Amino acid sequence: MKTLLLAKHAGLCSGVERALTLALSAKSKPVRLLGNIAHNERVIAKLREAGCAVIEEKDLDTIRGGSVVIRAHGVSPKLYKKLHSIGAEIIDATCPFVKKIHDIVTEYNGKGYSVIIVGDPTHPEVIGTKGYADDCVVIDSLESAKNTTFDEKKQYILVCQSTFSENKANIIINHLKNTIKLLAIKQTICYTTKERQAEAKSLSCACDAVLVIGSSSSSNTTKLVDICKEQCNKVYLIRDAEDVKAIDLTEVQKIGVTAGASTPKELIMEVLSGMSNENEVTLPTKENETTEATAPVTAAAEEVKESKPTSKKMTMDDVMASTSFEIREGMRVKVSVIRSDETGVYVSGLKLGKKDGFVAADRLTDGEYKPEDYPVGTEFTAVVVPNTNGNKDYIALDKKKFDEVEEMDKALLDSVFELKIDKAVDKGGLLGKKGSYTVFIPVSHIELHRVADEDLQSYVGKKLLVKKLPDKKGEEGAEVKRHRIVASHKEVLIAEKKAAREKAEKEWQEKKAREEEEKKAIFEANRDRFEVNNVVPGVVKRFADFGAFVSVYGFDCLAPKTELSWTKGVAPADVLEIGKEYEFVIIKVDAENYKVSLSYRLLQKRPYEIAQEKYPVGTIVTGTVQTIVNFGAFISIEPGVDGLVHVSNISDKRLNSPADVLKVGDEVTAKVISFVDNRMALSIKDAQEPAEGAAEAKEGEKRVRNNARPQQERKGKKSAGDEISKEEQEIVQNFGTTESVQNNILGDLLKGFTPSDEK
Ligand code: SF4
């Protein structure tokens, strides 16, 4: 079983079809066609049968009367003039897309631009277009673009031949963009050609072989062949069903078929019919129709593959039906203007298939209709409406209706409305009515959380505020008459929550701004009082991890945690009480940022000062050994009060190390022997009761020792046993005790601490 995929836009384009219609309905006989209307033998034969003769430009000198048909390719102004001079009726079938190119070239030529046409220099359309420019160059390849010299002082306008390969044109344009300084670009490849080429590309990607139906003399047909060959290595240009017989398709499973813009529909049908007789082929089924119409051909190919079990052999009517999108009343279609006159605008569009559409003047705009407001190529969306204007050749469209519905949809989409719930749909959601609309709330859009299926019934009869959800189906192809809306209550709740959050945020910001202003005003009013070292009264307002906020003259100041107490690691609440007034000293003023820092501790006694009062020299204290180092031991008297017992003051005996007699945690009794520079030194041995006679002996010994040394030496030097090494100083500096203790020790050590001299 082979699968056959037919391109949707295969066959005659609207421009060629229009030219044929005009030629066949010409009233002034004989009818002469200025060149072949379509590059297809079958079409030419049909025209001949109808009495139309093909003439060339040189023949114009010999003819008089009758009518002359200008084909879709258009002609130059010079040729127009000549046609008028022979007195024949001129039937101008120039395609509107080509006319637009002529208009562009005429306009820019008038402004002094030089013209670049990207196209085939021998193609009749290009020859005609050239006639509208005084200065023109035709580029047909990247090579020719590279070989052409452009004057950098000139301004250029670039247009494309309407049927040129889009891909090739883009390559040339990209090169020229980088080469020419003053370049205006109008990409004028026609809509039909672009569609056809894009389809050919997709088709050739999806198929094992592609048949392109058309004549080798048709420029757009040969371009389709070239495009297909880029993706597929079995591409055949065939004229008719006979040519297919010569092709071996036995190894091929999926066959793509497309056709040039000059190929008539009957010819395509003949080829398809012949193939279905020769090969057992599967054609796209009607079930695939919508998907095909809205998806690229490659996607359509996948659809066909998946639906193989339901595939069937189809009649030619089926084939025709499967190759066009069903036009339904109320359907939205995107269209492009191909012509406009006093009665309205004629349009083409992907969804309209081979037929064109017509929008009557009164269904275009509420304002005054002017044909010139709708130039060729203008795109808009309209709605398919019943054909009441009698012209059955066109699909009747209504732009105003689309605009109205769009406006209504937008209004619904933007607004929140109340919905009474009429019904719960099991495992689905809730249903209600809004005017003529049926409103559905999916279960996931009822609350902020997902509502359990068994709870859905409890919503029936309730009124919910809901918001319309965007239409997932998109605009194109969707019916405006569907009268169904998918809405969400959850979105309303989210919006309410967001609004409340934003309101609170806004209020907070405003409050903050107000407070900031007030703060600045208070600061400015007290500027003279906010001086460093000023002692000020402050009421504690609140605590933070990093300190306390204190109101001074109504201005919020910060007392950092480190400025609250001399003891490290103390929490603000251990020092101050909220609501109480204290004295602080100002330590920093940042007038630019309105910040004042305070210190509380600077006005408080330091721990050693307290200790000095509490434990004067000579006091016997009891403490605990906290740390032992080579040169002594640190004794904790009470929290925050520590002292050092030097190794020489631990015992009467000479010790190698304090650890010989002490260990951490030992309770010891010691005597306060000095507060040199506010540092406490202790002596354990002096706290012990001397043995009888020992005091006198010791006193005598001391006197002897002192007398034996010069006065200067006694005052300025330490005894050998008290010498503090550099290493010991470092230990003290690194010792993790309170600041006061560390200061005590350092002071004693560095100042040449001599316990015996101090006594
Ligand atoms: S410009 Fe496009 S629509 Fe017009 S005749 Fe050429 S191919 Fe057809």
Side-chain angles (χ1 to χ4, degrees):
M1 178 75 75
K2 296 186 192 304
T3 304
L4 191 65
L5 291 176
L6 175 62
K8 296 206 169 303
H9 294 85
L12 290 185
C13 68
S14 57
V16 174
E17 211 162 19
R18 177 171 166 268
L20 279 173
T21 310
L22 288 172
L24 292 171
S25 56
K27 298 220 166 50
S28 304
K29 309 285 179 187
V31 179
R32 301 174 189 96
L33 312 174
L34 190 53
N36 279 326
I37 278 187
H39 293 283
N40 184 277
E41 294 74 14
R42 185 75 63 91
V43 178
I44 294 167
K46 192 176 170 185
L47 286 164
R48 279 211 188 100
E49 271 171 34
C52 302
V54 179
I55 59 164
E56 292 179 33
E57 192 182 335
K58 61 179 169 49
D59 301 326
L60 290 176
D61 295 329
T62 59
I63 60 167
R64 286 287 175 270
S67 51
V68 177
V69 180
I70 298 173
R71 58 187 169 171
H73 300 319
V75 295
S76 68
K78 196 175 154 200
L79 196 47
Y80 260 120
K81 217 170 165 186
K82 186 161 190 179
L83 283 168
H84 281 292
S85 70
I86 62 172
E89 185 192 346
I90 300 168
I91 297 171
D92 189 355
T94 306
C95 175
F97 287 110
V98 177
K99 268 225 162 79
K100 190 181 177 187
I101 300 172
H102 293 172
D103 291 345
I104 293 169
V105 173
T106 305
E107 183 194 336
Y108 280 84
N109 185 60
K111 291 179 187 170
Y113 280 67
S114 295
V115 177
I116 299 168
I117 303 174
V118 174
D120 175 358
T122 63
H123 193 276
E125 179 193 316
V126 175
I127 294 169
T129 305
K130 268 175 78 177
Y132 291 83
D134 294 327
D135 181 15
C136 181
V137 59
V138 181
I139 306 284
D140 64 349
S141 64
L142 181 61
E143 209 52 39
S144 81
K146 285 180 180 170
N147 292 336
T148 307
T149 311
F150 297 95
D151 186 341
E152 63 172 29
K153 288 186 198 122
K154 277 189 185 172
Q155 286 184 304
Y156 289 89
I157 172 71
L158 181 151
V159 292
C160 301
Q161 178 189 329
S162 64
T163 51
F164 203 65
S165 155
E166 191 181 17
N167 195 23
K168 215 167 155 188
N170 286 340
I171 293 170
I172 295 170
I173 290 170
N174 278 341
H175 170 77
L176 294 179
K177 265 198 238 170
N178 297 324
T179 313
I180 304 172
K181 264 192 194 169
L182 306 166
L183 178 67
I185 297 166
K186 300 279 177 186
Q187 224 275 31
T188 50
I189 294 173
C190 90
Y191 176 75
T192 314
T193 302
K194 282 186 197 169
E195 289 286 346
R196 216 171 279 257
Q197 291 178 357
E199 277 181 4
K201 190 173 178 184
S202 302
L203 200 63
S204 51
C205 286
C207 296
D208 307 320
V210 181
L211 307 182
V212 183
I213 312 169
S215 165
S216 57
S217 62
S218 161
S219 154
N220 72 79
T221 307
T222 53
K223 274 182 196 101
L224 290 180
V225 172
D226 291 344
I227 289 166
C228 291
K229 278 185 175 169
E230 284 169 17
Q231 318 296 334
C232 177
N233 51 19
K234 286 189 175 169
V235 179
Y236 306 96
L237 173 62
I238 54 165
R239 282 167 304 172
D240 49 31
E242 277 303 300
D243 283 357
V244 184
K245 291 178 185 165
I247 302 169
D248 180 10
L249 294 171
T250 45
E251 298 295 310
V252 174
Q253 284 307 307
K254 207 178 278 178
I255 308 160
V257 177
T258 185
S262 304
T263 309
K265 196 165 69 186
E266 316 88 75
L267 194 50
I268 300 170
M269 293 307 110
E270 264 179 45
V271 171
L272 292 177
S273 176
M275 286 179 73
S276 62
N277 290 335
E278 293 292 316
N279 305 277
E280 203 181 351
V281 297
T282 306
L283 296 165
T285 62
K286 280 204 167 192
E287 290 82 67
N288 296 323
E289 194 176 76
T290 309
T291 315
E292 278 189 80
T294 53
V297 178
T298 40
E302 287 307 312
E303 282 293 314
V304 172
K305 190 173 150 199
E306 281 170 16
S307 63
K308 255 187 180 174
T310 59
S311 298
K312 59 184 180 187
K313 204 163 180 179
M314 301 174 81
T315 65
M316 274 308 110
D317 285 346
D318 290 332
V319 174
M320 284 311 295
S322 70
T323 57
S324 64
F325 194 86
E326 187 193 335
I327 298 293
R328 297 182 304 274
E329 212 181 282
M331 196 170 102
R332 301 168 196 220
V333 284
K334 267 188 190 168
V335 293
S336 173
V337 174
I338 53 174
R339 180 159 64 93
S340 57
D341 60 24
E342 294 308 319
T343 60
V345 299
Y346 295 82
V347 295
S348 67
L350 189 62
K351 294 283 178 286
L352 299 181
K354 294 184 187 308
K355 269 196 166 184
D356 287 338
F358 175 72
V359 191
D362 63 338
R363 299 313 302 162
L364 277 161
T365 171
D366 280 331
E368 190 193 347
Y369 165 70
K370 290 183 196 153
E372 59 270 29
D373 290 343
Y374 296 87
V376 174
T378 305
E379 291 183 348
F380 57 81
T381 303
V383 176
V384 177
V385 290
N387 197 333
T388 53
N389 61 13
N391 190 347
K392 301 292 176 198
D393 291 340
Y394 295 94
I395 296 162
L397 300 169
D398 192 325
K399 180 176 181 296
K400 267 169 68 175
K401 187 167 184 178
F402 170 78
D403 294 343
E404 284 160 15
V405 172
E406 179 84 336
E407 213 169 281
M408 186 176 74
D409 273 5
K410 254 192 203 148
L412 265 178
L413 198 63
D414 293 344
S415 69
V416 169
F417 56 91
E418 194 178 70
L419 181 75
K420 183 168 171 281
I421 306 302
D422 298 328
K423 200 177 163 192
V425 183
D426 194 24
K427 292 185 180 170
L430 304 169
L431 282 172
K433 277 265 179 195
K434 170 75 181 169
S436 60
Y437 283 82
T438 299
V439 184
F440 173 63
I441 310 175
V443 68
S444 59
H445 274 276
I446 299 172
E447 300 288 355
L448 292 172
H449 60 275
R450 191 182 170 88
V451 174
D453 293 335
E454 57 270 28
D455 294 336
L456 285 175
Q457 276 300 335
S458 67
Y459 284 87
V460 175
K462 279 188 182 171
K463 286 179 180 173
L464 298 178
L465 283 176
V466 296
K467 185 175 189 290
K468 183 180 180 288
L469 287 172
D471 191 349
K472 279 187 188 165
K473 282 183 180 170
E475 179 189 276
E476 174 99 315
E479 286 177 47
V480 298
K481 276 188 174 175
R482 61 192 185 280
H483 284 271
R484 277 180 280 118
I485 293 175
V486 181
S488 170
H489 177 55
K490 181 179 161 184
E491 290 291 321
V492 175
L493 296 176
I494 291 172
E496 281 175 358
K497 223 174 160 186
K498 191 176 166 218
R501 203 170 50 236
E502 283 172 357
K503 189 175 168 225
E505 169 83 4
K506 195 176 163 219
E507 284 172 358
W508 186 78
Q509 292 287 0
E510 285 170 356
K511 185 172 169 252
K512 224 176 129 196
R514 264 197 318 274
E515 284 175 357
E516 201 59 27
E517 283 308 309
E518 282 169 18
K519 190 177 163 185
K520 284 178 189 173
I522 298 170
F523 181 87
E524 293 300 341
N526 293 285
R527 202 170 187 122
D528 295 346
R529 299 204 259 185
F530 290 135
E531 289 286 339
V532 172
N533 292 332
N534 276 6
V535 175
V536 291
V539 178
V540 180
K541 293 186 78 178
R542 63 191 166 91
F543 296 139
D545 286 347
F546 48 85
F549 287 94
V550 179
S551 174
V552 177
Y553 309 128
F555 183 81
D556 273 2
C557 306
L558 174 70
K561 191 176 166 185
T562 51
E563 288 299 328
L564 295 179
S565 168
W566 290 108
T567 307
K568 279 186 178 173
V570 174
D574 295 339
V575 184
L576 305 171
E577 207 177 301
I578 288 177
K580 241 181 153 182
E581 187 176 297
Y582 300 87
E583 281 200 325
F584 296 86
V585 62
I586 295 174
I587 54 171
K588 192 177 170 193
V589 177
D590 180 354
E592 210 172 296
N593 296 303
Y594 300 97
K595 284 182 181 162
V596 175
S597 301
L598 307 171
S599 175
Y600 177 72
R601 71 171 185 174
L602 284 178
L603 300 178
Q604 309 308 313
K605 284 182 180 165
R606 295 171 190 243
Y608 65 78
E609 289 174 322
I610 298 168
Q612 206 166 2
E613 283 172 11
K614 193 172 174 184
Y615 308 106
V617 171
T619 307
I620 302 296
V621 294
T622 303
T624 310
V625 177
Q626 202 180 17
T627 311
I628 295 173
V629 290
N630 283 342
F631 52 88
F634 293 94
I635 311 296
S636 171
I637 311 300
E638 61 175 80
V641 180
D642 307 80
L644 171 69
V645 186
H646 191 266
V647 65
S648 60
N649 285 323
I650 292 174
S651 170
D652 285 332
K653 293 178 198 156
R654 186 165 186 88
L655 302 174
N656 288 328
S657 160
D660 291 349
V661 291
L662 294 175
K663 63 179 188 301
V664 172
D666 279 356
E667 190 174 274
V668 294
T669 301
K671 188 177 188 179
V672 179
I673 55 172
S674 73
F675 276 96
V676 179
D677 282 345
N678 299 317
R679 293 166 183 97
M680 181 192 273
L682 301 169
S683 171
I684 293 173
K685 70 178 184 186
D686 287 347
Q688 290 162 358
E689 282 300 321
E692 215 174 306
E696 289 79 9
K698 195 173 178 185
E699 191 59 32
E701 186 190 326
K702 184 183 162 193
R703 269 199 305 275
V704 171
R705 227 176 340 116
N706 280 349
N707 290 339
R709 286 188 290 168
Q711 180 79 7
Q712 201 179 4
E713 190 185 320
R714 284 205 307 274
K715 282 186 179 171
K717 286 195 178 173
K718 296 171 277 184
S719 63
D722 298 336
E723 197 67 51
I724 303 299
S725 69
K726 200 171 171 223
E727 191 188 346
E728 288 170 344
Q729 290 175 26
E730 279 171 13
I731 292 169
V732 172
Q733 279 165 350
N734 293 329
F735 178 64
T737 181
T738 63
E739 185 185 40
S740 58
V741 172
Q742 193 169 317
N743 286 342
N744 287 344
I745 298 159
L746 274 172
D748 290 344
L749 293 173
L750 300 176
K751 280 177 178 287
F753 175 62
T754 51
S756 54
D757 285 352
E758 296 297 332
K759 279 194 263 182

